[in-house]
Amino acid sequence: RQDIGKISTGTNSLDTLFDGGIETQAVTEVYGEFGAGKTQLCHTLCVMVQKPKEEGGLDGGVLYIDTEHTFRPERIVSIAKAKGLDPEKTLDRIMVARAYNSAHQELILQEAGPVIEENKIKLILVDSAVGLFRSEFLGRGTLSVRQQRLNKFMHLLSRTAETYNIAAIATNQVQSSPDQFFGDPTKPVGGNVVAHASTYRVYLKKSGKKRIARMVDSPHHPEQEAIYMLTEGGVAD
Ligand code: ATP
Ligand code: MG
């Protein structure tokens, strides 16, 4: 078994929360309300993972499964500059796969093996993991199918992270309006399915200009919070 790697977030507060950084061989669920910074954290990690080990990275490439068309190359450019990396080279190491529907999202991951090996991928991001499933499977009769398919996807993500010694991030919104199937507004979409397939779960929330991250349900982290900011250069202390 290979050693577990860690990807620094580039901030002291979040690195403390994660006990050094985002781990390989694990799925980290990042959930929270709109604007909390899930996508910004993903973009920051796309840059940080490329740094050498001495600087908190894994000298690795990225597979970004973009399901909501929120990947922004110009954000990568800004963050790379802020972190002292060449923006063009940084962009070159990010393989962006746009998923058009949930079946396509599954297919991208099923066929990711060669992409991972050829590009020394050390981070897979699925932003968002649940959105397409949620929008395609509407209505009471489809709920169990949706949860089965999502479960299959999440377990494939977990296996991929373990097999290739990769860090995997799955983002997830908390519901902003009452959902007839998951009535509790503080619960992430997808219920237990995403949670059960994840090793770490982090809840992000807005607090004025600041943002708060809380480690939830970790097997070995204390349940603590960290304050961070969203800036032109990515997540920051
Ligand atoms: P959603 O659930 O809608 O996907 P999210 O959690 O992914 O939301 P993000 O897109 O990561 O949210 O965060 C958006 C916020 O990030 C903006 O409201 C703004 O506060 C901040 N932000 C985005 N770009 C910049 C920037 N260039 N400079 C400073 N802050 C920025
Ligand atoms: Mg987002």
Side-chain angles (χ1 to χ4, degrees):
R1 202 177 163 91
Q2 291 173 285
D3 286 345
I4 290 173
K6 291 188 181 189
I7 306 165
S8 168
T9 63
T11 72
N12 291 325
S13 60
L14 292 173
D15 280 359
T16 302
L17 188 77
F18 284 111
D19 193 22
I22 312 293
E23 283 186 6
T24 63
Q25 300 175 34
V27 176
T28 301
E29 178 189 2
V30 176
Y31 70 99
E33 61 187 328
F34 73 94
K38 303 180 293 293
T39 299
Q40 296 304 311
L41 177 61
C42 288
H43 280 66
T44 306
L45 290 168
C46 280
V47 174
M48 289 304 298
V49 69
Q50 301 193 34
K51 289 208 156 211
K53 285 202 173 136
E54 315 83 74
E55 294 174 34
L58 294 173
D59 189 18
V62 181
L63 174 60
Y64 199 119
I65 304 179
D66 181 12
T67 74
E68 296 181 330
H69 299 179
T70 51
F71 179 79
R72 293 286 176 276
E74 60 272 23
R75 296 293 299 123
I76 299 296
V77 168
S78 297
I79 297 167
K81 281 183 186 160
K83 304 293 182 195
L85 292 180
D86 181 283
E88 288 306 316
K89 285 184 190 153
T90 305
L91 269 174
D92 277 350
R93 295 186 75 184
I94 305 172
M95 312 298 134
V96 181
R98 267 194 176 188
Y100 295 101
N101 53 49
S102 62
H104 187 212
Q105 180 178 327
E106 279 177 57
L107 189 69
I108 290 167
L109 197 53
Q110 279 161 5
E111 298 189 340
V115 177
I116 290 169
E117 289 184 326
E118 279 162 29
N119 298 285
K120 293 187 185 154
I121 301 290
K122 282 286 156 197
L123 173 65
I124 297 184
L125 303 142
V126 193
D127 186 25
S128 104
V130 181
L132 291 170
F133 290 94
R134 191 188 193 197
S135 61
E136 285 166 35
F137 296 92
L138 296 167
R140 189 169 289 279
T142 63
L143 178 63
S144 70
V145 180
R146 164 174 113 177
Q147 296 302 73
Q148 269 170 38
R149 292 267 312 280
L150 184 57
N151 189 47
K152 185 178 161 217
F153 176 80
M154 288 303 301
H155 280 91
L156 181 57
L157 185 61
S158 173
R159 267 206 313 283
T160 306
E162 284 171 15
T163 305
Y164 296 99
N165 194 18
I166 285 177
I169 302 254
T171 72
N172 197 357
Q173 261 201 345
V174 291
Q175 34 213 86
S176 44
S177 61
D179 178 305
Q180 63 174 316
F181 302 117
F182 299 99
D184 184 346
T186 65
K187 288 267 160 63
V189 177
N192 295 328
V193 169
V194 179
H196 282 163
S198 303
T199 313
Y200 304 114
R201 307 184 65 213
V202 183
Y203 175 57
L204 305 184
K205 69 177 186 228
K206 292 184 273 195
S207 174
K209 281 194 166 177
K210 291 183 177 162
R211 297 291 187 275
I212 298 169
R214 178 201 294 265
M215 179 62 73
V216 184
D217 296 343
S218 164
H220 58 86
H221 295 73
E223 180 149 339
Q224 56 180 3
E225 290 188 344
I227 294 172
Y228 64 100
M229 309 277 281
L230 299 174
T231 72
E232 179 68 13
V235 297
D237 281 305

